């Protein structure tokens, strides 16, 4: 999955960017107070994308 597609999906489900780290972006779901990191690679493995969605308690991609 493309990183930009995953970011659009997260933003559409109410998550927002908390901060930019050295190698990762940190997203937060404020409603549930859940946090997850997204690596800065062009391609993100589908398994990892599903894990990020589970961490943020949003429907899986």
């Amino acid at each position: 999955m493309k990183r930009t597609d995953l970011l659009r999906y997260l933003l559409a489900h109410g998550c927002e960017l908390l901060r930019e780290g050295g190698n990762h972006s940190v997203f937060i779901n404020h409603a549930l107070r859940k946090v997850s990191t997204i690596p800065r690679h062009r391609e993100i493995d589908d398994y990892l994308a599903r894990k990020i969605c589970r961490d943020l308690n949003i429907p899986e991609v």
Side-chain angles (χ1 to χ4, degrees):
M1 164 176 263
K2 297 276 188 203
R3 182 177 193 271
T4 55
D5 294 338
L6 178 61
L7 296 182
R8 271 192 220 111
Y9 183 81
L10 295 177
L11 294 173
H13 282 86
C15 299
E16 60 185 52
L17 180 66
L18 180 64
R19 66 183 173 86
E20 292 284 346
N23 295 320
H24 292 78
S25 301
V26 181
F27 274 77
I28 186 168
N29 183 343
H30 279 292
L32 302 171
R33 296 183 186 258
K34 300 289 184 173
V35 177
S36 186
T37 58
I38 293 93
R40 284 207 198 106
H41 301 285
R42 289 187 189 270
E43 285 286 327
I44 295 177
D45 187 43
D46 289 337
Y47 176 79
L48 180 57
R50 288 191 303 267
K51 169 81 168 75
I52 291 168
C53 291
R54 280 193 305 265
D55 288 346
L56 294 169
N57 281 345
I58 61 173
E60 292 183 13
V61 179

